Amino acid sequence: MALVQLDVVPDVGHVRVARLVAVSLARVNGVDEEVVEDVRLAVGEACGRAVAAHSRAALDEPVRLRFEGDADAGPGMRVEIVDRVAMPEADGEAALALLVGGQAPAAARAEAGAASAVMALLEGLADEVQVHTGTQGTTVELRWND
Amino acid sequence: MSGVVVECRTGLSTGGTAGRAHPWHPDQGDLVDLSLSTRDEGDWTVVAVGGEIDVYTAPKLRETLVDLVNVGRFRLVVDLEAVDFLDSTGLGVLVGGLKRLRAHDGTLRVVCTQERLLKIFRITGLTKVFAIHESVADATAD
């Protein structure tokens, strides 16, 4: 099982690096070329969200990305994006709601920090999205199965 | 016809968390992330964008749109045909621009035929918010 871990300092200029790594590893793990663009955007969105959360909380610690695939077992990749900003403990829909912070029309959401647009993109682009929030921070897990 | 060209380079040491020293900065000085050029076409001002619009470069686009509104250009076409990458921050800048323009009875039209980018507008529900055209000629037709 190939595992690659990437620590990204909380600087928006580095989100691009995370996207480039995600694209390379998606290809290594046999993700369909048409889906590679989805990986690029989704990992960038999740990393950008985490970096922004660290910046807002004045946390200098890096955001951690873990990429896991098993090209021998078949195409696909799992990516975890982990930030260290303390949140209430929640899973699934409740955790998503915490990250999105309420409901508003799409246009207003896109402008207001884009949290909800980010989540819409993650759910629209990855095969599976899991979110866990807790006192240790937030973990967003994205999966592509082919 | 006057034009302005702005290039935004990955000067990582100047971006993001100002004043905080990071242990390393990859040297990407040669990579242009975002290019912006504006030109007038009749009543319209066309903003041609190239490269990557993301959380790092989007402020540059925002600045350009705000500057145009401030000099009284209220009918804008944002041409995304040369854009390689667009994220939610870029969408947010476009929505913000549209809001600002509407306050002046203006409008913002988007030129985009790239399926990859159109998909992003669709997923976020913004195909209902923006008039998306196939060409600058089409966008500036009326």
Side-chain angles (χ1 to χ4, degrees), chain B residues 71-119:
Chain B
V71 298
R73 301 301 301 183
F74 301 142
R75 282 154 74 82
L76 303 186
V77 173
V78 178
D79 180 357
L80 299 178
E81 289 298 77
V83 168
D84 306 314
F85 181 82
L86 173 70
D87 76 359
S88 59
T89 328
L91 292 175
V93 167
L94 293 177
V95 171
L98 181 62
K99 263 184 81 176
R100 239 175 231 109
L101 287 160
R102 280 184 177 162
H104 296 277
D105 291 323
T107 191
L108 185 154
R109 294 178 177 174
V110 171
V111 175
C112 180
T113 59
Q114 297 189 64
E115 182 49 36
R116 204 166 71 220
L117 301 189
L118 292 172
K119 181 175 177 180

Side-chain angles (χ1 to χ4, degrees), chain A residues 40-88:
Chain A
R40 183 197 304 273
L41 181 57
V43 172
E45 293 288 342
C47 183
R49 190 209 65 80
V51 164
H54 275 215
S55 295
R56 276 197 305 274
L59 271 185
D60 278 336
E61 281 177 82
V63 164
R64 176 158 291 180
L65 283 75
R66 291 162 57 89
F67 301 84
E68 208 168 349
D70 187 355
D72 291 338
M77 183 164 71
R78 193 175 75 88
V79 187
E80 265 181 24
I81 299 96
V82 183
D83 75 53
R84 292 279 161 233
V85 179
M87 298 279 283

Side-chain angles (χ1 to χ4, degrees), chain A residues 7-17 19-20 34 37-38 40-41 44-45 48 54-55 58-60 106-111 114 117-118 120-125, chain B residues 10 12 15-17 20 22-26 28 31-33 52 54-56 84-89 91-93 95-97 99-100 116 119-120 123-126 129:
Chain A
D7 282 0
V8 180
V9 293
D11 178 329
V12 289
H14 290 300
V15 173
R16 185 163 188 269
V17 177
R19 291 200 302 265
L20 294 171
E34 278 180 25
E37 282 306 318
D38 295 351
R40 183 197 304 273
L41 181 57
E45 293 288 342
H54 275 215
S55 295
L59 271 185
D60 278 336
R109 285 177 302 178
E111 201 192 14
V118 169
L121 285 168
L122 296 185
E123 297 199 314
L125 297 169
Chain B
T10 26
L12 287 177
T17 49
R20 230 176 275 167
H22 290 306
W24 53 271
H25 287 290
Q28 296 189 334
L31 295 175
V32 175
D33 287 327
E52 304 196 344
D54 78 345
V55 61
Y56 180 61
D84 306 314
F85 181 82
L86 173 70
D87 76 359
S88 59
T89 328
L91 292 175
V93 167
V95 171
K99 263 184 81 176
R100 239 175 231 109
R116 204 166 71 220
K119 181 175 177 180
I120 301 166
I123 290 174
T124 52
L126 292 176
V129 175

Side-chain angles (χ1 to χ4, degrees), chain B residues 58-71:
Chain B
K60 208 75 200 166
L61 175 60
R62 180 185 294 118
E63 208 175 283
T64 298
L65 297 181
V66 169
D67 286 350
L68 286 168
V69 174
N70 286 343
V71 298

